[in-house]
Amino acid sequence: MAHPLGGEGFDDFTDGDIAELMADKELGEDDLVNLVFESEFDKSDEEEFVPVTFTAKVIREGLALGRKLGDHFMQNDTNVERALRFQRDINRCLAQYEEVYKDLTKNSKQFDANTLRTSALALVFSTAEYCAPVWEGSCHTKLIDTQLNSTLRIITGVCQPTRIDWLSVLAHISPPEIRRKEATKKMYQKLLDSPDLEINPILQSPPNHRLKSRKPIWSRGNQLLSQNFNISEAWTNSWISTDIPNKNLITSPNVKIPGFSLPRREWVLLNRFRTGQGRCAELMKLWGYTKDPNCT
């Protein structure tokens, strides 16, 4: 009787279902209809229940939405103090999920150093150096350098106590300060070569300095042009003037060091041998994690 009705719940109704229920009592027509509808409702409830897994993708999307929300108020709120306070608070809240995201992704597929370096230049350095010639002379650039150094540590895999001078050499990326000077020099030269721009008269006859803390682009640009600034020479001179262990392993910081195509584990281990900083017993004792300096 159920099969001629057709539809979901009636087509898959079998004689076994009726026999099981008739073992205790005889079923009427109303009982059969109620049984079919109960089966259909149970099946629909099972289909509608879809468990949501807290994956790295879900966290990444949430972090992106949180940052977008903070940027929205920074761009549109006329009260700058309130917008900054809101963005600071939302960044503090997102920090917990960033830690969870790092834990979920640390065991995922590991890329070689070339891929990490290219990604860092395209995603991190390009953002951090946006309009760098304008703010290159600011006293707050060290805050940006701290984040860039963290990115270089991810590329190279070195330990936290490693000297900062090693990071740029191992990652084959010029130091942030030198990169900003090169960008300032190029921008200033481009402005001088464009006489139609409104800023060109100011560059030709710059105003007098009023505050020593201010370092406008025309003062820094003139200085870099007069010094004939060269990014390769500046990096080489900076490396020569440093005093760090194993410095003799690198003859020129402008040359890409071997090992970029190695697997992640070997690449990290090699860089820790180069810098003299690793998770050996002697250094673990120096950092206060163990009492025995011997590797046993």
Side-chain angles (χ1 to χ4, degrees):
M1 181 174 61
H3 289 175
L5 296 175
E8 185 176 0
F10 290 97
D11 291 334
D12 55 358
F13 199 68
T14 63
D15 295 337
D17 297 329
I18 300 177
E20 181 180 353
L21 291 171
M22 292 185 66
D24 296 330
K25 63 178 181 178
E26 185 176 354
L27 295 178
E29 184 175 348
D30 294 336
D31 297 327
L32 289 174
V33 173
N34 292 333
L35 178 63
V36 171
F37 277 112
E38 289 177 1
S39 176
E40 183 178 355
F41 290 148
D42 292 341
K43 186 182 295 184
S44 62
D45 292 341
E46 294 177 0
E47 292 175 352
E48 291 176 359
F49 178 72
V50 180
V52 179
T53 307
F54 200 54
T55 62
K57 180 181 178 181
V58 174
I59 299 176
R60 184 176 66 250
E61 293 174 350
L63 291 174
L65 290 174
R67 297 189 186 99
K68 186 177 180 180
L69 180 61
D71 295 339
H72 171 78
F73 286 106
M74 281 295 299
Q75 296 173 5
N76 297 281
D77 193 351
T78 56
N79 190 325
V80 179
E81 182 180 356
R82 180 175 56 195
L84 287 172
R85 185 167 57 252
F86 176 79
Q87 190 175 54
R88 183 173 59 251
D89 292 341
I90 200 171
N91 288 337
R92 188 183 303 112
C93 295
L94 293 176
Q96 303 179 24
Y97 291 101
E98 289 176 351
E99 293 297 328
V100 178
Y101 180 75
K102 289 180 181 179
D103 293 338
L104 291 176
T105 55
K106 66 180 180 181
N107 294 325
S108 60
K109 181 180 178 180
Q110 296 180 345
F111 299 97
D112 59 20
N114 283 312
T115 304
L116 293 176
R117 177 181 179 274
T118 304
S119 301
L121 288 172
L123 301 176
V124 181
F125 277 79
S126 62
T127 303
E129 295 173 350
Y130 180 72
C131 292
V134 178
W135 50 265
E136 182 258 332
S138 172
C139 60
H140 302 293
T141 55
K142 293 187 179 297
L143 298 176
I144 297 179
D145 292 347
T146 301
Q147 301 302 320
L148 294 178
N149 290 335
S150 299
T151 303
L152 294 177
R153 293 184 191 278
I154 294 175
I155 299 174
T156 58
V158 296
C159 297
Q160 190 69 25
T162 303
R163 293 281 297 273
I164 294 177
D165 304 277
W166 270 113
L167 302 180
S168 297
V169 176
L170 296 177
H172 193 55
I173 299 176
S174 304
E177 181 181 1
I178 296 179
R179 289 173 59 89
R180 289 192 293 267
K181 288 182 178 180
E182 178 69 12
T184 302
K185 174 192 170 184
K186 289 182 178 180
M187 176 61 71
Y188 187 73
Q189 185 64 58
K190 186 176 181 180
L191 293 174
L192 291 178
D193 296 339
S194 303
D196 297 335
L197 296 178
E198 296 182 0
I199 195 176
N200 194 273
I202 300 177
L203 300 180
Q204 299 295 339
S205 301
N208 297 326
H209 277 301
R210 292 182 298 172
L211 298 174
K212 293 183 178 181
S213 60
R214 297 293 184 265
K215 299 177 182 179
I217 185 174
W218 48 80
S219 63
R220 292 177 284 113
N222 273 325
Q223 183 180 4
L224 293 173
L225 286 180
S226 62
Q227 295 174 353
N228 196 19
F229 179 81
N230 181 276
I231 186 172
S232 299
E233 294 180 0
W235 193 6
T236 302
N237 294 334
S238 175
W239 177 253
I240 293 175
S241 62
T242 58
D243 184 17
I244 57 177
N246 300 334
K247 173 185 173 181
N248 60 312
L249 296 176
I250 306 298
T251 56
S252 174
N254 298 285
V255 179
K256 193 174 185 180
I257 62 175
F260 266 78
S261 58
L262 290 174
R264 178 67 179 177
R265 184 178 182 277
E266 286 75 8
W267 165 252
V268 171
L269 188 62
L270 178 60
N271 288 335
R272 292 182 178 181
F273 273 115
R274 285 167 171 160
T275 59
Q277 295 287 341
R279 295 178 181 176
C280 61
E282 182 181 0
L283 291 176
M284 295 290 279
K285 180 180 182 299
L286 180 63
W287 300 337
Y289 288 102
T290 61
K291 296 182 179 180
D292 187 8
N294 299 317
C295 296
T296 56

